[in-house]
Amino acid sequence: MKHRLMIVCAASLICWFSRTAAQSPLFVGGQSVTVPGGTGYVGLFDLNRDGHLDLISGARATGKPEVRPGNGRGRFSATIDGQSDFGVMHAAIAFGDVSNDGILDSVQASRDKASEYIHVFLGSGDGRFATTPHTRLVANRAIDFYKPQIWILDVNEDRKADIVTQNGRRNTLEIFTGDGRGGFGPPEIINLDTGYNLYTSAIGDIDGDGHLDLIVAMSPLSTQEQGKVRTFRGNGTGKFSEMTGGVFAVASNPVLATLADVNGDTRLDIVLSHSERELLSVLLGETNGRLAKPATFPLEPGTSAFTVTVGDANRDKRPDLIVATVNSVARPYNSAVAVLLGNGTTFTPATGSPYRVGPGAYRMAAGDIDEDGKLDIVTSSFEGEAIHVLLGR
């Protein structure tokens, strides 16, 4: 009887510990990084090649990206001494190896009254970059509104990085073909539908033929109308043509948040946020680039999603959605990170979600910054002065 009682007690303790662990928040607050004037862009890359993720932030006060080396234990040091002065007020930024030397370079978007530009700064491998652009490219003429996006990828499959850029207020994309040494040719322009208020895009092999495809979400001028998603098949030469049946109606105000496999079937899926709406839409990829009807998932009342990333937050080997949300209607623009756990068919809020962060968390990046095998998160603070860190438990 005594041994049986001990076995029962031990089993009860195991169940209690398992239930407690399952109910514990997935993330806890870590080091906050102060950036006077607030931040726009945030990213996590190993820029100095020491094996640890570094923090890159776009300082609002100066318009310059700042690099803070990581120590692999969840903390970041001060900005690098003699850090590069890029000399441009960036509106978007991306990192990739455009010169084929194994070192990450920086590509930034800016504009003046006449033109919109793409600037290429070559990395030195120690977290610094060239002080003047290796290449300055004219993307298009300037218009009143500027919502740029940048992608660095090999569109034409020549093993050289190309640049794709888009002003979300214009119905075009620009593709700059790279020469593998940091130089680029004049842009090839892809024209999209006219009559929409906002265009957002993603690039990936959505039909599984080995070539990169283009997916575009278009927000109608009237916020009451349905939005539209169009898919274009790539042929591996940098050319795109609309897929048969590649037009999909979605909820109003769609913004293409990410393109990733969210249900673990190896096919790319589409995740949409919706401006000033408290929901996400997920369009699951099917064979030959077809998409299932969108499924919607609610967010916290009064918030909109601004950045979405896909990762395994609870380490169950299933993709989860990690969402930076902001109440952008009323000050102080309260923000939180919502974590929606995936089970292969749907998504449900994680214990402790949403996790509160600084105001104006429009941008977010995820990675293992303390190298414990768990996903961590950093968020911007556009209306505050602190980058917040959430460490995975």
Side-chain angles (χ1 to χ4, degrees), residues 286-355:
E286 299 180 338
T287 57
N288 297 320
R290 293 192 297 268
L291 298 171
K293 291 183 178 180
T296 58
F297 300 93
L299 300 172
E300 188 179 22
T303 66
S304 297
F306 283 86
T307 303
V308 181
T309 190
V310 176
D312 185 5
N314 60 349
R315 295 182 297 156
D316 65 352
K317 299 183 180 180
R318 292 173 176 171
D320 308 312
L321 300 179
I322 303 164
V323 189
T325 68
V326 182
N327 179 346
S328 57
V329 177
R331 290 181 181 276
Y333 305 112
N334 292 328
S335 303
V337 173
V339 179
L340 304 179
L341 300 180
N343 63 8
T345 58
T346 190
F347 297 90
T348 55
T351 301
S353 176
Y355 302 90

Side-chain angles (χ1 to χ4, degrees), residues 116 118 138-140 147-151 153 155 163-177 186-193 198-204 213-218 230-232 238 240 256:
E116 297 168 0
I118 293 295
V138 177
N140 216 317
K147 293 285 185 181
Q149 294 177 279
I150 304 171
W151 303 268
L153 31 75
V155 177
I163 297 173
V164 183
T165 184
Q166 176 181 27
N167 178 352
R169 297 295 189 178
R170 177 191 284 114
N171 67 317
T172 62
L173 280 88
E174 293 80 34
I175 300 178
F176 299 91
T177 301
E188 179 173 347
I189 296 176
I190 298 177
N191 292 295
L192 306 172
D193 297 4
L198 182 64
Y199 302 80
T200 53
S201 303
I203 297 175
D213 308 308
L214 170 65
I215 302 91
V216 183
M218 292 173 278
R230 289 183 64 186
T231 56
F232 300 82
F240 299 90
L256 212 157

Side-chain angles (χ1 to χ4, degrees), residues 260-267 269 284 317-319 343-345 347:
D261 176 13
V262 304
N263 61 348
D265 66 354
T266 72
R267 299 190 186 103
D269 311 304
L284 295 179
K317 299 183 180 180
R318 292 173 176 171
N343 63 8
T345 58
F347 297 90

Side-chain angles (χ1 to χ4, degrees), residues 50-80:
D50 66 352
H52 307 311
L53 288 175
D54 307 314
L55 174 64
I56 304 93
S57 59
R60 288 188 61 203
T62 63
K64 302 170 186 174
E66 298 177 344
V67 179
R68 292 172 171 81
N71 65 1
R73 297 186 295 277
R75 301 188 69 82
F76 302 98
S77 60
T79 55
I80 295 173

Side-chain angles (χ1 to χ4, degrees), residues 24-28 335-339 350-357 377 390:
S24 298
L26 289 176
F27 294 93
V28 295
S335 303
V337 173
V339 179
T351 301
S353 176
Y355 302 90
R356 303 298 170 188
V357 293
I377 299 167
L390 295 174

